[in-house]
Amino acid sequence: MARGLPTGEIADRLHLSPHTVRDHIKAVFEKVGVSSRGELVGKLFTEYYAPLAEKNMTRVHTG
């Protein structure tokens, strides 16, 4: 989902039916508390990726 793949392609890659994939996506949305793929990706980025990236980031102040 984070790669922007449509449901049908996710289903093909996982050898599942599109209906099953939709059911799983719906369950993930409910557990995470979001209502769209974009919202899910945003939440994952801000809560998990960004804090880890900032730990390894060196800020340089100029001027």
Side-chain angles (χ1 to χ4, degrees):
M1 284 190 314
R3 292 181 178 167
L5 297 176
T7 301
E9 191 168 339
I10 294 169
D12 287 344
R13 289 182 181 205
L14 297 176
H15 307 288
L16 300 170
S17 74
H19 178 75
T20 299
V21 172
R22 280 190 290 276
D23 284 347
H24 285 294
I25 290 171
K26 182 179 176 183
V28 169
F29 287 176
E30 288 175 11
K31 287 182 181 186
V32 178
V34 298
S35 60
S36 71
R37 292 176 186 217
E39 193 177 358
L40 175 65
V41 171
K43 188 167 186 169
L44 291 173
F45 178 81
T46 58
E47 292 185 13
Y48 298 98
Y49 176 77
L52 291 174
E54 287 184 11
K55 283 184 182 179
N56 295 320
M57 186 181 302
T58 302
R59 298 189 184 270
V60 177
H61 297 279
T62 59

